[in-house]
């Protein structure tokens, strides 16, 4: 199965629009990806033809909607090589990490340690700070090297029998660094720690098998994976989920409720209190099914080629600083332009129809590590083309000319 980027693009209605009279060149997919027709249609179809609350009714629409909701769970499970009962729907990666942190936190004591890395997104830092503030848990951060790779020696030095949890991103949303998870997870398990992997970026650009990785928890958001907002996935090993107390209380997550006592449903439903994001789950199911129908290795190769082309096109730009050049990195280019604020660079690029991000990318500790207050970031997705890569390079040279 070859990868035909034009055939893929044709499935994304938004990609044919213009910005400031120029064709849109969308290089902000690491923040949120655009949606293919398959996702849009699945959500419209559900609303127009087959919608009701899930797990509740005995009527046809309730049963059809429940089937579609559970089929989406199966899609997510198959995407990552999990069993269906190990997949919890959340509202996003952020909620998934909060759920795990709150659950694990219930049995942590003052002085217990959580080991993170300097390259984590705030979503994988702040929930652990809650445990520091509320329980006296100690946070440690493994260092990042100058090239953007994780300093494994620092990770090893900080890991001890006090480490109860390790939280690490699979791929950095700024540096593009792909962390050596198999090694990190084995080290963490040897030390007796539970491992949570933030897979928000990697799920889009890597082929992920949670069983091979041996991760205890793996989280990602639907909206970066060409699906809707408001839905994400928490994978947890069956025994890890079974050991976790519920996060929110309400309908659907209970076994029985009386005025005196409650019992809980088994995972995954134990963690899905209340009416879930039904339409969003159906949309995510459609996006995953669409994504899985592609030649995934060809997708990875296409994205890597785009990144290499851009990096090559910018090789002579002595005014450019690229943040993160670790070998094997994903298609994410964080950069600064000498003498220019990242926001200004982004705004000028926008005039050329090029959408990039600028700011701290919700990774302030990492910005500080590289002595930055902000950076611009171009991120590539499967629908980007070589022509777009070249147009971005050209627009960046023109933008730089404003500041020279
Ligand atoms: N982790 C990483 C690496 C991310 O890139 C993001 C989104 N920028 C998140 C966590 C948070 O995801 P969400 O906002 O969808 O919950």
């Amino acid at each position: 199965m070859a990868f035909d980027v034009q055939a893929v693009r044709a499935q994304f209605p938004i990609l044919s629009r213009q910005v400031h009279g120029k064709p849109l060149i969308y290089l902000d997919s690491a923040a949120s990806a655009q949606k293919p027709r398959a996702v849009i249609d699945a959500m419209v179809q559900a609303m127009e033809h087959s919608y009701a609350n899930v797990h509740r009714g005995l009527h046809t629409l309730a049963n059809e909607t429940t089937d579609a909701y559970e089929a989406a769970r199966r899609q997510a499970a198959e995407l990552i090589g999990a069993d269906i009962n190990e997949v919890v729907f959340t509202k996003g990666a952020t909620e998934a990490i909060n759920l795990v942190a709150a659950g694990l936190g219930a049995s942590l004591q003052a002085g217990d340690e959580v080991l993170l890395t300097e390259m984590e997104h705030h979503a994988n830092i702040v929930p652990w700070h809650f445990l520091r503030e509320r329980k006296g848990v100690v946070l440690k951060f493994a260092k990042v090297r100058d090239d953007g790779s994780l300093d494994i020696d620092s990770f090893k030095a900080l890991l001890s029998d006090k480490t109860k949890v390790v939280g690490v991103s699979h791929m950095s949303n700024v540096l593009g660094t792909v962390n050596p998870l198999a090694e990190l997870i084995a080290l963490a398990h040897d030390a007796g720690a539970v491992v949570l992997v933030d897979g928000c970026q990697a799920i889009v650009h890597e082929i992920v098998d949670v069983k091979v990785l041996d991760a205890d928890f793996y989280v990602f958001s639907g909206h970066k994976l060409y699906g809707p907002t408001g839905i994400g996935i928490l994978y947890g090993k069956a025994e890890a989920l079974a050991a976790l107390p519920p996060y929110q209380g309400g309908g659907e997550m209970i076994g029985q409720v009386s005025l005196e006592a409650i019992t809980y449903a088994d995972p995954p439903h134990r963690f899905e209190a209340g009416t879930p994001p039904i339409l969003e789950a159906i949309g995510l199911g459609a996006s995953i099914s669409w994504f899985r129908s592609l030649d995934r290795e060809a997708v990875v190769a296409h994205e890597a080629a785009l990144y290499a082309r851009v990096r090559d096109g910018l090789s002579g730009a002595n005014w450019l600083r690229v943040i993160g050049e670790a070998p094997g990195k994903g298609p994410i280019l964080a950069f600064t332009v000498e003498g220019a604020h990242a926001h200004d660079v982004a705004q000028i690029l926008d005039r050329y129809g090029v959408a990039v991000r600028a700011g701290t990318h919700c990774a302030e500790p990492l910005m500080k590590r590289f002595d930055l207050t902000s950076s611009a970031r171009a991120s590539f997705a499967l629908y980007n083309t070589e022509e777009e890569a070249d147009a971005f390079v050209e627009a960046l040279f023109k933008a730089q000319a404003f500041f020279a």
Side-chain angles (χ1 to χ4, degrees):
M1 220 186 330
F3 182 70
D4 179 349
V5 68
Q6 290 305 337
V8 165
R9 281 180 76 75
Q11 299 175 51
F12 286 78
I14 206 169
L15 295 180
S16 57
R17 69 159 284 177
Q18 301 217 323
V19 172
H20 301 301
K22 306 261 177 7
L24 167 68
I25 298 176
Y26 188 74
L27 302 182
D28 197 18
S29 299
S32 204
Q34 302 299 348
K35 321 301 173 200
R37 177 63 70 196
V39 171
I40 301 165
D41 285 353
M43 295 177 80
V44 170
Q45 150 79 17
M47 282 184 279
E48 288 186 348
H49 297 287
S50 188
Y51 175 77
N53 210 332
V54 289
H55 300 309
R56 281 181 194 176
L58 290 173
H59 59 82
T60 302
L61 293 192
N63 293 338
E64 283 177 9
T65 311
T66 304
D67 287 349
Y69 180 75
E70 291 302 329
R73 194 192 305 277
R74 182 165 297 286
Q75 280 294 340
E78 288 177 4
L79 175 71
I80 57 174
D83 295 332
I84 190 159
N85 287 335
E86 296 175 315
V87 170
V88 179
F89 284 123
T90 63
K91 108 177 145 61
T94 300
E95 186 178 58
I97 299 172
N98 274 276
L99 189 163
V100 173
L104 295 176
S107 50
L108 294 185
Q109 319 279 333
D112 284 346
E113 295 182 3
V114 173
L115 175 56
L116 307 169
T117 81
E118 285 179 333
M119 71 173 86
E120 298 312 306
H121 185 283
H122 293 166
N124 200 23
I125 298 177
V126 180
W128 306 109
H129 267 297
F130 288 171
L131 299 184
R132 180 189 56 74
E133 288 181 341
R134 294 169 193 172
K135 303 208 68 167
V137 164
V138 176
L139 305 189
K140 303 262 163 138
F141 293 87
K143 295 208 170 308
V144 170
R145 297 196 196 101
D146 288 345
D147 71 349
S149 59
L150 185 69
D151 183 338
I152 309 281
D153 293 336
S154 150
F155 182 88
K156 285 184 188 159
L158 293 171
L159 192 65
S160 75
D161 57 3
K162 288 200 198 137
T163 314
K164 302 297 174 218
V165 185
V166 167
V168 59
S169 54
H170 192 169
M171 179 187 291
S172 160
N173 65 312
V174 181
L175 307 165
T177 303
V178 178
N179 283 316
L181 282 189
E183 185 183 355
L184 300 180
I185 292 172
L187 286 166
H189 283 165
D190 281 350
V194 169
V195 183
L196 176 138
V197 178
D198 174 355
C200 270
Q201 300 296 336
I203 197 71
V204 186
H205 305 295
E206 298 275 309
I207 294 165
V208 174
D209 185 323
V210 289
K211 299 286 171 186
V212 172
L213 288 176
D214 199 25
D216 299 289
F217 298 102
Y218 193 99
V219 308
F220 61 92
S221 288
H223 66 99
K224 296 179 202 276
L225 192 59
Y226 311 104
T229 52
I231 186 83
I233 296 295
L234 163 63
Y235 156 79
K237 278 183 186 168
E239 58 272 26
L241 286 180
L244 217 55
Y247 181 52
Q248 293 187 327
E252 300 302 319
M253 51 73 72
I254 40 82
Q256 284 186 319
V257 180
S258 73
L259 296 183
E260 294 75 30
I262 44 172
T263 59
Y264 302 128
D266 289 332
H269 301 290
R270 181 190 299 171
F271 304 105
E272 294 177 5
T275 298
I278 300 167
L279 293 165
E280 291 78 359
I282 291 171
L284 177 60
S287 82
I288 295 177
S289 151
W290 171 84
F291 189 57
R292 292 180 68 218
S293 75
L294 304 172
D295 178 342
R296 299 282 307 289
E297 282 177 13
V299 168
V300 174
H302 171 71
E303 292 171 343
L306 290 176
Y307 182 85
R309 192 176 178 96
V310 165
R311 194 66 198 87
D312 215 38
L314 292 168
S315 58
N318 58 4
W319 38 264
L320 185 81
R321 177 176 171 204
V322 173
I323 301 105
E325 304 240 49
K329 67 172 283 190
I332 298 174
L333 180 81
F335 62 94
T336 57
V337 171
E338 200 173 80
H341 193 282
H343 286 149
D344 296 331
V345 174
Q347 272 175 10
I348 295 175
L349 289 174
D350 182 57
R351 306 303 298 180
Y352 295 104
V354 180
V356 301
R357 197 130 202 105
T360 63
H361 318 296
C362 295
E364 283 183 29
L366 184 66
M367 290 287 119
K368 189 153 180 259
R369 155 68 182 85
F370 283 94
D371 285 323
L372 294 166
T373 50
S374 67
S375 88
R377 181 188 69 188
S379 49
F380 300 89
L382 49 72
Y383 42 63
N384 292 123
T385 65
E386 290 185 351
E387 294 73 28
E388 288 184 320
D390 294 345
F392 162 62
V393 169
E394 197 185 322
L396 191 54
F397 270 97
K398 286 186 188 155
Q400 190 273 334
F402 279 90
F403 304 102

